[in-house]
Amino acid sequence: MPPGKGQITPLLAPPKVSTLAPRGAHAPAAEAPLCPRMAAESPGSPQGRSKKRSRKHQRFLERRALLEQKGLLRPRRRQGSQPPAAGLVEAACSPLTKDDSGSSAGLWTSLPLPRPGKYVAIDCEMVGTGPRGRLSELARCTVVSYEGDVIYDKYVQPELPIVDYRTRWSGITKRHMKNAIPFRAAQAEILKILKDKIVVGHAIHNDFQALKYFHPKDRTRDTSRIPLLNQKAGFPVKVSASLKSLAKHLLHKKIQIGRKGHSSVEDARTTMELYRLVEVQWERELASSLPPRPPSPVADSSTDSDQYMDDQYWPTDLNTNSL
């Protein structure tokens, strides 16, 4: 029926036509264009390639995490992580508060904090060989632990005939050489103990010279060349104080007395005691004097994806399922 007089015909909007084709139907692109998300995920698009790389990268990170948990890879420091406060350095370096995990604080973030088992003190006694006994050769060597326990103490037969026993200082006599072991055998035993250790000694270059050995400088602590001990004892900073003087002023004990010679066990223990007296401050100053390490280069994600994220670089026995 036509509308009556005075009635207004409403203008109805045309019905919306869905541009998406039904499931299973293949609509032409002009009639049913892909939504932005689908377009981005298409294999040929840059976004699709990026997502493919990200999936490879995620798989790589998962595998690396599993390898780190199994101890097959060293854990990497996460980017942006904050180091512990510098105020914790002293507590971390203290022999009474060392962390069993070997973690460090402050300036030690890039260096493993040594445990007490990593410290040893050494003292050697020498005799005279060669023309007029002017050559010094090893005749006794003592190595003690951080707590002062004797790890090694043996008499050593020099390679050359002994001309001067130097008994007044060395304490060595002819009878000690009856059960002495050959120098090369002693050297092998001692160097095995010193390997990977922080070695403490007084005028320690003499001990290493007698052993015909050179220990890494960063793992050597010479109590005759540390101003901290001289300051505490009231000596001039640049003076090389004797072990006997330092023990008397700082440890309040007398060593190297009498005419029977020095005891390498007593001297090694005294040296370790002196080191422990200034250990915290000494190690902190050594850490601060080390040159800063350059920052790690930022890896290019695209390079990582193209070259290192492919499954061909991962043995089948290291895949996630087999781990």
Side-chain angles (χ1 to χ4, degrees):
M1 178 179 179
K5 190 177 182 179
Q7 291 181 341
I8 300 175
T9 303
L11 297 177
L12 300 177
K16 294 182 180 180
V17 179
S18 173
T19 59
L20 297 177
R23 290 185 179 178
H26 300 281
E31 297 180 2
L34 294 174
C35 67
R37 181 177 179 183
M38 295 175 65
E41 294 181 0
S42 62
S45 65
Q47 295 89 341
R49 288 194 298 269
S50 176
K51 187 161 186 178
K52 184 178 180 181
R53 286 197 299 266
S54 67
R55 284 197 295 266
K56 288 183 178 180
H57 185 70
Q58 182 65 28
R59 191 160 59 248
F60 170 81
L61 293 179
E62 292 175 355
R63 288 168 174 170
R64 183 177 181 89
L66 288 171
L67 293 177
E68 289 177 356
Q69 292 176 3
K70 288 183 169 289
L72 300 176
L73 284 178
R74 290 183 59 186
R76 293 188 300 178
R77 182 179 172 184
R78 298 294 181 258
Q79 206 171 20
S81 61
Q82 296 295 329
L88 297 177
V89 175
E90 185 169 343
C93 293
S94 171
L96 299 179
T97 59
K98 281 187 172 64
D99 187 359
D100 290 336
S101 64
S103 61
S104 54
L107 295 170
W108 285 78
T109 52
S110 60
L111 297 173
L113 187 64
R115 301 186 181 96
K118 283 289 184 180
Y119 293 93
V120 293
I122 189 172
D123 187 77
C124 297
E125 301 297 342
M126 279 73 80
V127 294
T129 63
R132 298 183 182 181
R134 292 181 178 178
L135 293 179
S136 294
E137 288 200 54
L138 183 67
R140 184 184 181 185
C141 182
T142 301
V143 181
V144 301
S145 69
Y146 184 83
E147 292 79 14
D149 299 324
V150 176
I151 300 174
Y152 187 92
D153 182 33
K154 290 185 180 181
Y155 291 97
V156 181
Q157 180 69 52
E159 293 182 304
L160 295 177
I162 300 176
V163 177
D164 185 359
Y165 283 92
R166 304 177 185 176
T167 305
R168 181 175 178 180
W169 298 277
S170 67
I172 305 295
T173 63
K174 188 175 182 179
R175 64 180 179 86
H176 292 130
M177 293 295 104
K178 292 181 180 180
N179 297 322
I181 65 174
F183 171 78
R184 292 299 174 184
Q187 183 191 49
E189 294 174 351
I190 297 166
L191 298 192
K192 187 176 181 181
I193 296 173
L194 302 187
K195 183 181 178 182
D196 298 328
K197 297 290 196 304
I198 292 180
V199 185
V200 184
H202 194 82
I204 197 171
H205 60 279
N206 293 324
D207 302 310
F208 290 152
Q209 186 176 359
L211 285 167
K212 299 180 181 180
Y213 168 70
F214 176 79
H215 198 68
K217 186 177 180 181
D218 61 330
R219 297 179 185 174
T220 302
R221 306 290 185 267
D222 191 343
T223 54
S224 71
R225 298 175 179 265
I226 174 64
L228 289 172
L229 291 173
N230 287 8
Q231 291 173 359
K232 284 182 173 292
F235 300 150
V237 174
K238 296 184 178 180
V239 170
S240 181
S242 67
L243 182 64
K244 184 176 182 178
S245 297
L246 291 173
K248 179 180 179 181
H249 288 81
L250 298 178
L251 303 176
H252 308 290
K253 70 176 186 178
K254 296 180 181 180
I255 63 171
Q256 301 176 355
I257 57 176
R259 293 182 174 269
K260 294 183 179 181
H262 302 175
S263 168
S264 55
V265 174
E266 182 181 54
D267 289 355
R269 285 173 171 168
T270 301
T271 303
M272 182 60 82
E273 289 182 56
L274 289 172
Y275 168 76
R276 294 180 62 174
L277 199 62
V278 293
E279 176 187 3
V280 173
Q281 189 175 354
W282 192 356
E283 295 297 340
R284 183 169 56 191
E285 291 182 1
L286 286 175
S288 63
S289 65
L290 292 175
R293 290 189 176 184
S296 300
V298 179
D300 183 1
S301 60
S302 62
T303 304
D304 289 345
S305 298
D306 293 338
Q307 298 184 14
Y308 305 115
M309 300 302 173
D310 292 340
D311 294 340
Q312 60 178 317
Y313 294 101
W314 291 85
T316 54
D317 59 336
L318 295 181
N319 286 335
T320 304
N321 294 336
S322 61
L323 289 176

